[in-house]
Amino acid sequence: MKVLIVDDDAVDRRVVRRTLGASGDSYHEVQEASSVAEGLELLDGNQFDVILLDCRMPDVDGIEMVTDMHAKPDMGNTAVVMISASDDTNLALRCIEAGAQDFIPKNEITLAKLERAILHANKRFEIEQRMHMSYLEVKKMAEMDPLTGLSNRYHFEEMLKVMIANNKRDGSNVALLALDLDNFKHVNDTMGHEAGDSVLKQSVKRIRSCLRNNEGFARLGGDEFAIILGNITHVADASSVCNRVLNSFKLPFNIQGKEVICGVSIGVALCPVDSSDSQALLRCADIAMYRAKQNGKNGISFYEPHYQTEFNQRFIIHNALNNVLKNDSFRLFYQPIFCAKNGKLLGFEALIRWPEAEVFYTPDVFIPVAEQSKLIDGIGQWVIETAMNQLALWHQQFDANLTMSINISPVQLQNERLLSECQRALDANNVSASKIILEITETALIKDNSMVTHSLRVLSKYGFKIALDDFGMGFSSVAHLMDYPIDIVKLDKSMQATTQVSDKRLRVFEALALMLKTLDFIVVAEGVETKSQMSLCQKFELDRLQGYLLGMPMDATKTDVFLAQQYQI
């Protein structure tokens, strides 16, 4: 056994060495040091099984040496038995608290006691080491994300607090980046969790390649990540890192032999500019990240104070949406659609409205929140069922040829249950699919999405009519008319000329109408509000008209009265 004796008294060292040498059953390889400095130097180049260490020495005492050893991991793996001329119990406790495994007064040193102390110290040290390793494993599990090996949310938040405190002292800035993978849920849902895990691990590898070694990087949960950038002197420093990360996602992922496109949205908050509180800074970065999502995904957004107000508003609307949906208290209004040639009533467009309440939200406010939160699936299902049920009643009471136009969100088109929900509503109300017009906006088509394409083709195959709404609003593309099974095109009301004088808007409106008629689409003019607008639509031989001049959106009761007048019942 290799033993190191550290004692400033040469006589005491000889006594201990002679006592150890008196053992006939075991061999001890002994080295001596006359000071703590000399002992630490020997430890630096040698491995000992046990150290017999004097408590009190000039300059630096033994207790300080034990503390120094534990502060240096490469020196802290040796059992320590403290020896002292004093047999003070408090001194012995201080030695144990400092990290020693045993304590022997010098006047009690015998071969038996010394060997027993060394044996016990070694065994206690082994147990302490195992306990320490177990603690480190548990600590690692508590602080690390098992899939990616990154810090988890708990450890990241602790790191962020330390980083903010350090940067306060030296007067520099901290940038916090909140990252969320785009379209990750679609990968998980369509290809399975194994594919999703592969995307996460590959994403971590790409992001890590854009960072320095000293930057905090964590997985906060799901497909959410965060990065701490310290010593930021200018906003451009954070922008540079963000752009490197964005560029790293340009190449598709190879998942199960297939190429998968998955971008990343990044929100940035700065300390102390946006906040000096770690939790508030995380919230700011999150809000900025949601803004990056809103702006079209796969981009960067720096936090701005007014985002907080918008975020709070979305939160309030989200909670209100949950309650309205739960209580089934949305309302549907119905706006009539007429034949442009003979003025005959052809059908209605179902328009969702907020319940009558003190706080009221318009569709252009609450629908985007519903889409972002995926509540649109439940709301859309309610609209489909309610509108088809109402159409079935009007078929029985008035005219079996009436149609119902129902607006379908781009989010709904990515839900594989949409077809079954539509079919179930048809069967429940005994309505033909040919009487249902599903209205979509071009925002659903501006990105290549196989699920949207598949949904539209299957719905068309089952007999539903597909109408492209708001054509000409800004995303118009003739390719959309060719690539998707569209039957009806609704010209956006912004295309309506305000007067009959010849101007650019009038010429564009006429050209669009001519092109669409030539391509055999049914063309609907929206927003017809004046007789001159109606005359122009008839002049350009549009097929259908819709607008306040012809009929306002009405609830079901008023629509019943309107229908009774139309059919003179």
Side-chain angles (χ1 to χ4, degrees), residues 54 162 219 307 324 329 413 493 499 506 537:
D54 188 14
V162 172
R219 181 187 179 201
Y307 291 170
V324 173
S329 53
L413 287 171
K493 62 182 180 182
T499 65
L506 180 60
C537 294

Side-chain angles (χ1 to χ4, degrees), residues 45-79:
N46 300 276
Q47 181 66 46
F48 295 93
D49 297 304
V50 69
I51 302 172
L52 299 174
L53 177 60
D54 188 14
C55 292
R56 289 174 176 160
M57 289 180 283
D59 298 328
V60 182
D61 66 25
I63 292 177
E64 290 179 79
M65 180 174 174
V66 174
T67 304
D68 284 348
M69 287 169 57
H70 282 283
K72 299 175 181 177
D74 54 334
M75 287 188 180
N77 16 328
T78 306

Side-chain angles (χ1 to χ4, degrees), residues 413-479:
L413 287 171
Q414 297 183 54
N415 186 342
E416 59 187 14
R417 297 191 302 274
L418 177 62
L419 175 62
S420 60
E421 288 169 0
C422 289
Q423 193 61 54
R424 188 165 56 249
L426 289 177
D427 295 340
N429 295 288
N430 195 27
V431 172
S432 169
S434 63
K435 302 302 178 187
I436 303 298
I437 300 166
L438 302 178
E439 294 195 11
I440 62 169
T441 59
E442 285 191 300
T443 53
L445 311 179
I446 57 174
K447 289 188 177 181
D448 183 25
N449 187 303
S450 58
M451 189 64 194
V452 168
T453 305
H454 174 74
S455 294
L456 289 174
R457 286 175 179 166
V458 172
L459 288 164
S460 178
K461 181 181 176 182
Y462 273 76
F464 293 97
K465 301 299 180 186
I466 308 297
L468 184 59
D469 198 8
D470 299 332
F471 189 79
M473 189 177 70
F475 298 112
S476 299
S477 169
V478 177

Side-chain angles (χ1 to χ4, degrees), residues 36-51:
V36 166
E38 190 180 339
L40 290 174
E41 190 176 336
L42 284 169
L43 274 173
D44 197 26
N46 300 276
Q47 181 66 46
F48 295 93
D49 297 304
V50 69
I51 302 172

Side-chain angles (χ1 to χ4, degrees), residues 132-197:
H132 184 64
M133 292 304 295
S134 296
Y135 161 74
L136 291 178
E137 284 296 318
V138 172
K139 185 173 184 288
K140 186 178 179 182
M141 289 170 62
E143 296 178 346
M144 188 186 78
D145 171 54
L147 178 67
T148 62
L150 298 176
S151 295
N152 61 15
R153 178 180 283 274
Y154 165 75
H155 189 226
F156 181 80
E157 289 178 357
E158 294 302 308
M159 281 195 298
L160 182 59
K161 290 176 187 175
V162 172
M163 183 74 83
I164 289 173
N166 290 343
N167 281 264
K168 274 182 184 175
R169 284 194 291 272
D170 60 28
S172 59
N173 299 318
V174 173
L176 176 61
L177 279 54
L179 302 88
D180 189 271
L181 302 186
D182 300 326
N183 306 318
F184 177 75
K185 186 177 184 300
H186 179 68
V187 174
N188 246 357
D189 291 346
T190 57
M191 300 182 70
H193 290 285
E194 187 177 337
D197 288 349

Side-chain angles (χ1 to χ4, degrees), residues 169-282:
R169 284 194 291 272
D170 60 28
S172 59
N173 299 318
V174 173
L176 176 61
L177 279 54
L179 302 88
D180 189 271
L181 302 186
D182 300 326
N183 306 318
F184 177 75
K185 186 177 184 300
H186 179 68
V187 174
N188 246 357
D189 291 346
T190 57
M191 300 182 70
H193 290 285
E194 187 177 337
D197 288 349
S198 180
V199 168
L200 290 173
K201 287 188 279 191
Q202 290 186 46
S203 296
V204 167
K205 189 174 180 181
R206 293 186 185 193
I207 296 169
R208 202 192 292 276
S209 69
C210 303
L211 306 177
R212 300 176 304 226
N213 292 331
N214 61 339
E215 291 164 344
F217 183 22
R219 181 187 179 201
L220 303 187
D223 59 337
E224 296 178 41
F225 298 90
I227 299 168
I228 309 170
L229 305 177
N231 299 315
I232 295 293
T233 56
H234 195 275
V235 172
D237 299 337
S239 293
S240 177
V241 175
C242 292
N243 283 315
R244 287 203 300 270
V245 172
L246 282 182
N247 288 333
S248 74
F249 277 77
K250 284 184 176 179
L251 290 175
F253 292 86
N254 190 315
I255 308 297
Q256 299 170 0
K258 297 179 181 177
E259 287 193 346
V260 174
I261 303 295
C262 192
V264 61
S265 295
I266 306 174
V268 186
L270 301 172
C271 170
V273 177
D274 299 318
S275 179
S276 294
D277 176 78
S278 60
Q279 290 299 316
L281 197 66
L282 269 168

